Each structure stands twice: as structure tokens, then as C-alpha cells.
Amino acid sequence: MAEYEDITYVIEDSAAIITINRPDRYNAFRAKTVDELIKAFRSAWADRKVQSVILTGAGEKAFCTGGDVKQRAETGDYGPSESGMFEIGNLHKLIRDIPKPVIAAVNGVAVGGGHVLHVLCDVSIASETARFGQAGPKVGSFDAGFGSAYLARVVGEKKAREIWFWCRIYDAQEALAMNLVNKVVPAADLLTEAKSWAAEIATKSPTAIRFLKQSFNADTDHQAGFSNMAMTALDMFTASPEGLEGAAAFAEKRDPDFVQHVNWH
């Protein structure tokens, strides 16, 4: 069994439960976190006993708040990784490609890159205390790949543009109304409900589920090209004065000054 620092990985019955375990940073991910998530998802893929994956966050405040902006402000990147690269794009691909349903158990705030993670999961179950939204344009970041294009498939173009352009926060019932989540339950019942969904999927034909997941994915797999291009653009943008201003403002708890970067030419 692999040793983890930023996450926990346990198997209960037929489900692998992967928990982002950085509550002191509202479960924001650094490069090491992403490496460990990839390792855990691959372990779940290879384990014949595992028929579904539950992804959640430690504590009661946050599911995941995306990339660790404080880390980016301190070091200019998301810290060291095994490959020397920030592997978030590969994590997105893995969540889609693993031939087993991935259930997001959203226990608190899911914003930014954390919001993208739950959107990419096959289904999402939310605590009544969960909150959802995007923050990229507020902190000098964006996800112009799966995080926007696939989101539009989930909630529709108009709502997806609202979510990204205005960076509003939505409660669990609002998320349910826009089909962003499948079910809302009391906070105390969240993991129990997720495990119940996992137990139910374990009674189904795993080969049929595999074909169905791949069929659903086939309709949007072309978005991987957008995602790759967006990740390249984001690498360049986060190192620009505009991107650095967003991270610095977040770390310093002040409003960013983006006016000087307005350029419509």
C-alpha cells in the first residue's frame, strides 16, 4: 500500500475512498497532492475488488478549493512533483478514463479547480453545507478545457458562462436545481449516502458500466484537446504580470488590480 501525505486512500467493501487531506489549506492541491491523487486512482483502477471510487475532502469546510494559490504566490508554482510537471491535466483524464464510476462526495466548498474535479466525476452527492463556484478570473487563473467546455454540457451554456464570468457561489439546492449535483443530503449522512451509491453500483455488470462510461465520454473526448491547449496557456498566463497579480492579491487578502492589464486589441 502506497504511503500518502496529502491524501488518504482506503477500501471499504467495493469502494475506494480517496480523501484530499489538507484541511489547513481548505483541501487545496499542490503538485504533490495531484501526484498522490493520480497514484490512488491508478491503484483503484488496478484493484479488481474496487468497483467504484468515492472522492471527498477532509473536514467539514471544504471538498477542494483548487490549486494552492498561497503556494503559487510563495514559490511561483505548485511545488515539486515526481515528474517535474504539474500533472493536473493527467488527473482530469484519469477521472474520466477509469472504467469505474467516480462519486464526488462534496462535503463543503468546491471552488476553482476543486469545482472542476467534482464536475468531472460521474455523479456528485452534496452535503447541505456544500458550496459551488469558480474563482479563476478573481485570482488570475482559468480552466478553458474540461472545466468550462464540459461544464457547459452539464449545466448549459448560459449557466456555465454565468458561473465562470461572475464567479458567484451557489448553495447545494441551487446546484441541484441546475443539475450540477445528483442529490443533496444532510452533512452527517454524506459519506453514508455515497457508500450506498457505491454498494448499489457493485450489484451491476462491471463490463456494462465500463462500456457505458466510455460511451458517455466519447461524446466529449475531443475536449481533451482544448484542455491540453488551455493548460499550456495557463502555464504562460500564471507567470505573467496579470497572473502574478491575481495570486499575490489572494495571498495578501486584497482586491487585485487588473485594470492596467485591460487590452482588447
Side-chain angles (χ1 to χ4, degrees), residues 5-193:
E5 180 182 347
D6 286 10
I7 72 168
T8 63
Y9 178 83
V10 297
I11 296 173
E12 290 190 19
D13 300 318
S14 63
I17 304 174
I18 301 173
T19 305
I20 303 172
N21 190 28
R22 303 187 77 216
D24 58 314
R25 290 287 179 107
Y26 291 90
N27 294 324
F29 51 72
R30 54 182 176 171
K32 181 181 181 65
T33 319
V34 173
D35 283 352
E36 292 185 359
L37 287 168
I38 288 172
K39 187 178 295 184
F41 270 97
R42 285 178 174 161
S43 295
W45 187 329
D47 192 333
R48 295 173 64 89
K49 299 188 299 293
V50 171
Q51 291 181 258
S52 62
V53 178
I54 296 171
L55 178 64
T56 192
E60 300 177 353
K61 293 182 178 179
F63 169 76
C64 177
T65 53
D68 191 335
V69 181
K70 286 185 178 180
Q71 169 92 39
R72 182 156 66 90
E74 292 165 4
T75 65
D77 58 20
Y78 289 110
S81 69
E82 291 183 7
S83 67
M85 298 185 293
F86 186 45
E87 301 274 4
I88 190 64
N90 286 331
L91 175 60
H92 290 173
K93 187 175 188 299
L94 188 52
I95 291 172
R96 284 174 57 85
D97 287 352
I98 184 173
K100 307 173 182 185
V102 181
I103 302 163
V106 185
N107 55 302
V109 176
V111 298
H115 189 261
V116 174
L117 290 183
H118 106 83
V119 168
L120 285 171
C121 292
D122 295 290
V123 296
S124 295
I125 303 169
S127 159
E128 290 175 339
T129 59
R131 297 291 182 269
F132 302 84
Q134 283 300 339
K138 292 173 65 176
V139 297
S141 183
F142 57 83
D143 185 331
F146 283 122
S148 52
Y150 183 65
L151 177 65
R153 293 291 186 99
V154 175
V155 301
E157 283 275 353
K158 293 283 189 179
K159 201 66 181 181
R161 290 171 191 247
E162 175 191 316
I163 289 169
W164 269 103
F165 294 172
W166 276 269
C167 299
R168 292 170 178 160
I169 299 297
Y170 306 86
D171 65 28
Q173 290 299 330
E174 289 174 310
L176 183 63
M178 70 175 89
N179 294 323
L180 188 59
V181 302
N182 299 81
K183 189 172 183 178
V184 177
V185 298
D189 298 338
L190 180 63
L191 268 184
T192 300
E193 183 69 22

